[in-house]
Amino acid sequence: MKADKFGLHDPQLMKNFSYINGSWHSSESQIAVTNPANGEVIAEVSNASIAETQLAVKAAKYALTMWSAKSANERAGLMKKWFDLMIAHQDDLGLILTLEQGKPLAEAKGEIAYGAAYIEWFAEEGKRVYGDTIPAPSGDKRIIVIKQPVGVVASITPWNFPNAMIARKAAAALAAGCTFVVRPATQTPLSALAMAELAERAGIPAGVFNVVVGDDARGMGKVLTQHPDVSKFTFTGSTAVGQTLISQCATTVKKVSMELGGNAPFIVFDDADIDAAVQGAIVSKYRNAGQTCVCTNRIFVQKDVIDEFTEKFTAAVSALTIGDGLTEGVNIGPMITTEAVDNVDKLVKDSIAAGATLALGGQRDAAGDTFYQPTILTNVSHDMPIANNEIFGPVSPIISFDNEEQVIAMANDTEYGLAAYFYSRDIGRVWRVAEGLEYGIVGINEGAVSNASAPFGGVKQSGSGREGSKYGLDDYLEIKYLCMGGLTK
Ligand code: NAP
């Protein structure tokens, strides 16, 4: 196929309409999707609203009977085709993702492979939805447990992983026999629509996977959280919005899972392999310009090794290249908006005013209005605002600590509990710290923790439920207890 103006091999992947019940829906008004690297309009997408959201729920409800009645093998076959198409179009999907979200192209292609991996993994895991038989308290009875799909699943997803945050939810839902409606973030609808195009090509039936794009987040959110035909609501985004959506779900007592914000500690003990810790911190902090929920937010370094770590870390961060994600060799792309840059810059300036030392960066970059330099702050104390807010940008505050008990207490002193990381080679310490950290995910001598076979999710105000792994399927299944009586002669 001929490449289009963006260099897409398959321009049909760039869609402009919501995908509802297997067809593409236009609306009167449009949303301009812009490239955060330069502000250019990439596409105008039809702006759906409440009526289209209701239509999508209705379509998902109608398709549920057919989809849930298919065997797990049949569903897996269709999902495997969807996975194959995503991998076959990885380059185009990655390009669309970089254009609308900004992350470097290599990272964007990595996200496509990562998202697709959930579809492949859950397609297989859907074949292993086992029930139980339970010994009954009397001889004339039998107790059997079966698992069934929850029903229609509705979701709202953020802009920072426009493919993977949808894939993680849709894969588990479809594998379990549920049908699915997603409202992607207004800034990044194109990746979601490209997924819909490939779902259609894979033969996933109409109504099973629906994408409604619209800028009325509140109105559409109310439909998705309050519609009586939606049985489960799943959200990835900020804790503040998650709290509102949980309360809206209460009106119809929906099953809910929430992947919310984080404030990840990254702890370097004095027995750590410092070079490995530096590499782990780079991976966990600067991916996606620091805009991930599992990004390192606070770096704690034991005081005996803080000079060595800071020197090596500063050298590694200095080597990162900032620029348009489509430029070869770029490691740090733009932030999503200029407001996001303003927020990060304010946190940095407030920290310096409160006594922190600027070791690197600390300002907007000449690459453009949405670019912020990779930044390191030292002499940070645990009570500064930067240690208590989700930074969501390429800034590393370094905090000194004396001992294990003190650092565990500081690491846990937050309402968040998504990911934590620590580096140590002492086996006793590894167990003590791993068990002492109040987080859903702990990276031990490892900065990259997420994959389809592992349970991803948080505790405290970072949310509830898990995505990925055998545990991830449970969120989309209901348990039904069958009691068979009258078995005596
Ligand atoms: P956000 O402001 O909460 O937005 C997320 C989604 O919610 C977007 O689609 C947004 O729509 C929608 N939304 C906003 N207000 C709404 C409302 N009142 N009713 C219904 N929907 C509403 O979060 P964000 O800034 O996009 O994303 C960053 C946050 O997500 C961070 O806190 C990050 O940690 C978290 N996150 C968590 C995970 C995880 O797995 N735990 C993964 C990725 C990100 P619009 O686009 O139209 O505003």
Side-chain angles (χ1 to χ4, degrees):
M1 250 180 260
K2 210 166 146 281
D4 72 340
K5 68 173 173 171
F6 299 114
L8 290 172
H9 299 295
D10 184 347
Q12 287 305 313
L13 292 175
M14 189 72 105
K15 291 290 180 199
N16 304 71
F17 306 114
S18 288
Y19 182 70
I20 302 168
N21 202 22
S23 53
W24 300 94
H25 279 245
S26 64
S27 314
E28 275 176 22
S29 66
Q30 309 289 310
I31 297 170
V33 182
T34 56
N35 181 342
N38 52 29
E40 281 172 13
V41 175
I42 312 158
E44 300 272 354
V45 177
S46 274
N47 190 8
S49 192
I50 289 174
E52 289 90 344
T53 313
Q54 286 166 335
L55 207 60
V57 170
K58 198 171 154 208
K61 177 73 178 173
Y62 186 75
L64 182 65
T65 309
M66 166 274 302
W67 184 249
S68 60
K70 283 190 185 298
S71 71
N73 272 26
E74 285 175 292
R75 289 195 292 263
L78 292 167
M79 290 177 68
K80 181 72 175 29
K81 282 188 194 150
W82 195 19
F83 162 80
D84 288 340
L85 285 167
M86 280 177 60
I87 295 301
H89 293 282
Q90 184 179 6
D91 287 353
D92 277 357
L93 296 174
L95 178 55
I96 291 170
L97 206 160
T98 295
L99 282 167
E100 68 175 345
Q101 199 274 339
K103 68 181 64 173
L105 190 55
E107 260 187 67
K109 289 183 195 172
E111 179 180 336
I112 302 304
Y114 168 76
Y118 282 82
I119 295 174
E120 183 188 44
W121 198 91
F122 276 112
E124 286 303 317
E125 192 62 9
K127 298 174 188 170
R128 290 182 275 276
V129 176
Y130 302 125
D132 254 324
T133 57
I134 298 173
S138 62
D140 64 339
K141 286 199 177 97
R142 297 290 182 273
I143 296 174
I144 301 139
V145 172
I146 62 169
K147 293 185 183 167
Q148 293 182 304
V150 169
V152 173
V153 174
S155 69
I156 296 180
T157 51
W159 49 265
N160 62 345
F161 287 89
N163 174 292
M165 294 304 105
I166 296 171
R168 288 203 317 202
K169 298 175 189 307
L174 266 56
C178 302
T179 53
F180 190 79
V181 179
V182 60
R183 177 196 172 275
T186 310
Q187 279 138 330
T188 56
L190 301 173
S191 295
L193 296 173
M195 287 174 77
E197 167 71 13
L198 294 180
E200 183 173 79
R201 290 186 201 176
I204 293 189
V208 173
F209 179 78
N210 305 275
V211 181
V212 268
V213 176
D215 63 7
D216 179 8
R218 278 172 196 272
M220 296 166 83
K222 282 205 172 134
V223 175
L224 297 176
T225 51
Q226 296 182 333
H227 199 295
D229 285 343
V230 172
S231 301
K232 180 193 163 90
F233 179 74
T234 167
F235 174 71
T236 299
S238 61
T239 295
V241 173
Q243 285 164 338
T244 303
L245 298 176
I246 292 170
S247 67
Q248 288 176 194
C249 284
T251 58
T252 46
V253 196
K254 293 193 196 316
K255 252 176 146 31
V256 168
S257 23
M258 292 278 145
E259 297 287 348
L260 307 176
N263 180 4
F266 185 103
I267 306 168
V268 184
F269 286 99
D270 57 8
D271 63 289
D273 175 337
I274 300 294
D275 293 323
V278 166
Q279 279 319 304
I282 294 283
V283 168
S284 74
K285 174 74 244 185
Y286 290 100
R287 202 169 64 242
N288 202 14
Q291 302 169 113
T292 88
C293 51
V294 290
C295 264
T296 286
N297 210 55
R298 300 167 286 161
I299 301 183
F300 295 100
V301 189
Q302 201 154 11
K303 67 173 190 288
D304 297 351
V305 292
I306 196 164
D307 290 343
E308 181 188 354
F309 176 86
T310 304
E311 189 186 320
K312 289 180 171 174
F313 185 58
T314 306
V317 177
S318 307
L320 297 174
T321 305
I322 191 165
D324 187 326
L326 294 179
T327 307
E328 184 79 27
V330 159
N331 314 103
I332 309 269
M335 298 192 61
I336 191 71
T337 56
T338 51
E339 292 77 35
V341 173
D342 293 343
N343 290 342
V344 166
D345 192 50
K346 182 170 185 325
L347 274 177
V348 169
K349 296 234 156 61
D350 288 352
S351 305
I352 294 168
T357 307
L358 183 65
L360 188 73
Q363 53 186 312
R364 292 172 165 81
D365 193 82
D369 293 345
T370 45
F371 291 84
Y372 200 78
Q373 291 181 347
T375 297
I376 299 175
L377 294 167
T378 55
N379 296 317
V380 174
S381 65
H382 182 55
D383 54 5
M384 288 182 189
I386 198 150
N388 294 295
N389 282 282
E390 193 176 21
I391 302 170
F392 237 58
V395 180
S396 296
I398 300 183
I399 303 168
S400 168
F401 71 90
D402 294 320
N403 59 53
E404 204 177 295
E405 293 71 27
Q406 180 201 19
V407 78
I408 291 175
M410 286 197 289
N412 289 341
D413 185 20
T414 166
E415 70 268 29
Y416 293 112
L418 187 56
Y421 309 86
F422 70 92
Y423 278 67
S424 168
R425 287 177 292 190
D426 177 312
I427 189 73
R429 171 175 279 167
V430 163
W431 278 105
R432 287 192 301 274
V433 177
E435 289 174 358
L437 288 169
E438 295 164 358
Y439 288 82
I441 304 165
V442 180
I444 305 165
N445 298 318
E446 180 58 61
V449 287
S450 186
N451 62 75
S453 40
F456 187 103
V459 299
K460 295 159 79 175
Q461 292 188 34
S462 287
S464 59
R466 293 294 179 270
E467 292 186 344
S469 85
K470 63 175 182 175
Y471 306 103
L473 209 53
D474 291 342
D475 282 2
Y476 297 87
L477 293 166
E478 288 286 12
I479 286 174
K480 187 178 279 178
Y481 152 46
L482 310 179
C483 181
M484 211 182 261
L487 299 181
T488 44
K489 273 193 187 169

